[in-house]
Amino acid sequence: MKKKKLQDLLVQIIKNEELQESLVAESAQLYNSKGRRRTLYFLGDEFKSVYFTQREAECMLQLLRGKNIEVVAEKLHFSPHTVEFYIKNMCKKVSCNTVLELVKIIKGSNFFNNYRLNYG
């Protein structure tokens, strides 16, 4: 139920046109049900309601650098299955079927600019 409330809040924020451009320009800070800060990475105008979580963003950055699933898993201290799970989630969010399609779509989005704002 709390996850649903967070998702509803995110949808309300995105629908608010005044905030939308500022959210696209940088990431949004939300809090999960345990009070922990949660950073969401938006992809820009083409994907207005799509965002990546911090873990998805970390995986995507490594994929953009040309790393394969095993290397990403080792570098981020995840299992390869976890990386595959994040990739599947990201593919669903942008409606694609392969990692290559995903990387191509993300290279054309504002993801990298938004990620750099938080991690320099």
Side-chain angles (χ1 to χ4, degrees):
M1 188 68 174
K2 290 181 182 181
K3 186 176 180 180
K4 176 78 171 128
K5 287 181 183 179
L6 180 62
Q7 289 171 341
D8 290 344
L9 176 62
L10 180 62
V11 169
Q12 288 174 1
I13 290 171
I14 291 170
K15 286 183 179 178
N16 184 334
E17 290 186 15
E18 291 178 21
L19 292 177
Q20 189 171 350
E21 290 194 17
S22 65
L23 292 177
V24 169
E26 56 187 286
S27 62
Q29 300 286 325
L30 297 176
Y31 292 85
N32 67 14
S33 60
K34 295 179 181 175
R36 294 187 183 132
R37 189 179 70 186
R38 184 172 180 195
T39 304
L40 305 178
Y41 299 89
F42 292 88
L43 303 182
D45 291 336
E46 190 175 340
F47 301 96
K48 290 183 179 181
S49 62
V50 177
Y51 65 90
F52 289 163
T53 64
Q54 183 171 344
R55 298 292 190 187
E56 290 169 344
E58 290 168 353
C59 288
M60 178 49 61
L61 184 63
Q62 296 303 316
L63 293 171
L64 288 170
R65 291 179 174 163
K67 309 292 188 220
N68 65 30
I69 291 172
E70 289 77 21
V71 173
V72 173
E74 184 178 322
K75 187 164 182 87
L76 299 177
H77 306 288
F78 298 156
S79 77
H81 294 291
T82 301
V83 174
E84 288 173 358
F85 173 77
Y86 290 136
I87 290 170
K88 278 185 189 179
N89 285 346
M90 290 185 284
C91 282
K92 285 180 190 175
K93 289 177 180 183
V94 298
S95 303
C96 69
N97 297 314
T98 67
V99 176
L100 291 177
E101 283 180 290
L102 178 64
V103 168
K104 184 178 177 181
I105 288 169
I106 299 310
K107 279 185 177 180
S109 74
N110 285 341
F111 166 77
F112 191 70
N113 293 334
N114 294 340
Y115 190 85
R116 235 184 2 201
L117 286 171
N118 284 290
Y119 290 97

